[in-house]
Amino acid sequence: MLACSAAGLSPHADKKVLNCLARKNPDTLKVLKQPLIAPAQKNITWALDFMHDKLYYSKPFRTLNIIDESTREVLTIEIDTSLPAGRVIRTLEQLGEIYGLPHKPYA
């Protein structure tokens, strides 16, 4: 209620407004928001995504999805019950041989 009275809001104000007021911290840094610039050419940046799920009989599986961000082309999807680091490296090396390595990899 303290945030409501300080902001001049009624106690029945929208919960979203109250959550924003409660989270506001005067010590946070002000960062200028800039739009993301999509690459104009293919093979500039790749995105890697790991996903996991279970089959209907409760057996887990994992997927490694590698996507070219400029064209949104799916370069590969690796599916297995486990994806160790060696397999991920081997997959990236194979993609490097086929497409060439991206010019600006994400960290």
Side-chain angles (χ1 to χ4, degrees):
M1 292 300 175
L2 184 60
C4 294
S5 61
L9 298 173
S10 71
H12 304 292
D14 190 13
K15 288 183 180 181
K16 291 181 183 177
V17 173
L18 294 179
N19 284 339
C20 289
L21 289 173
R23 290 186 199 144
K24 198 163 197 151
N25 185 358
D27 295 334
T28 56
L29 296 173
K30 302 293 181 193
V31 178
L32 296 176
K33 294 183 181 180
Q34 297 177 353
L36 294 175
I37 299 170
Q41 300 172 355
K42 63 187 268 183
N43 208 21
I44 300 293
T45 58
W46 291 352
L48 279 72
D49 185 27
F50 291 93
M51 298 173 64
H52 64 91
D53 203 354
K54 288 185 179 181
L55 299 172
Y56 69 94
Y57 51 89
S58 298
K59 183 163 181 149
F61 69 94
R62 292 171 176 78
T63 66
L64 166 64
N65 309 309
I66 303 177
I67 301 169
D68 187 339
E69 286 199 330
S70 59
T71 62
R72 296 188 182 199
E73 174 187 4
V74 177
L75 303 176
T76 189
I77 300 175
E78 291 286 323
I79 303 171
D80 206 343
T81 54
S82 70
L83 292 169
R87 178 138 178 219
V88 173
I89 291 169
R90 186 179 71 227
T91 302
L92 289 170
E93 287 174 347
Q94 289 172 351
L95 287 175
E97 291 174 4
I98 296 169
Y99 298 102
L101 294 175
H103 300 292
K104 182 179 162 187
Y106 274 120

